[in-house]
Amino acid sequence: MARVKQYAVAASGQWTDEEEGRHRLPSGEVHAWEPGRNETVCGLSLSRSRLIRFPHVGWKDTFPESGGSADRVRRQCPRCASAAGRRGDDARPRWHRTNPRP
């Protein structure tokens, strides 16, 4: 059985939520990122791209329908979204070949 990867977020900006306390949250363009690596899922270097790491924010929290940390997210990287899943927990493509040719 395949292990489901948990992706964190790297973003181009940050903001602080004053209502819920002083938590750093992502803003601008967000990318999926695996903690412990120095690049995003789409291959951008974190330091060269000047992306800010958010290990406490999960990838599925950046979707507008999640109601999580997506308040000031302007854009999700389409390459990261295709690799990490567009709907949150699904890290697999939507299609599945059920009867492959021999």
Side-chain angles (χ1 to χ4, degrees):
M1 182 177 269
R3 184 178 142 239
V4 177
K5 293 184 179 182
Q6 297 293 323
Y7 294 105
V9 175
S12 61
Q14 69 179 357
W15 66 286
T16 307
D17 188 7
E18 297 292 335
E19 293 176 2
E20 294 184 16
R22 298 197 176 262
H23 296 300
R24 291 183 322 119
L25 296 172
S27 67
E29 183 174 355
V30 294
H31 295 267
W33 164 65
E34 286 184 69
R37 299 195 53 138
N38 290 328
E39 65 181 10
T40 62
V41 174
C42 65
L44 290 177
S45 172
L46 293 175
S47 61
R48 288 185 182 181
S49 300
R50 296 186 179 171
L51 295 173
I52 304 165
R53 298 174 182 139
F54 295 91
H56 59 282
V57 178
W59 174 249
K60 60 185 173 183
D61 291 334
T62 62
F63 294 100
E65 60 271 6
S66 71
S69 304
D71 292 342
R72 297 196 184 170
V73 171
R74 301 273 180 177
R75 179 177 184 264
Q76 287 182 332
C77 172
R79 293 180 356 198
C80 288
S82 67
R86 294 187 185 275
R87 296 180 308 256
D89 290 332
D90 60 340
R92 298 181 305 259
R94 293 183 182 189
W95 60 270
H96 179 70
R97 183 174 293 163
T98 57
N99 191 6
R101 292 186 225 166

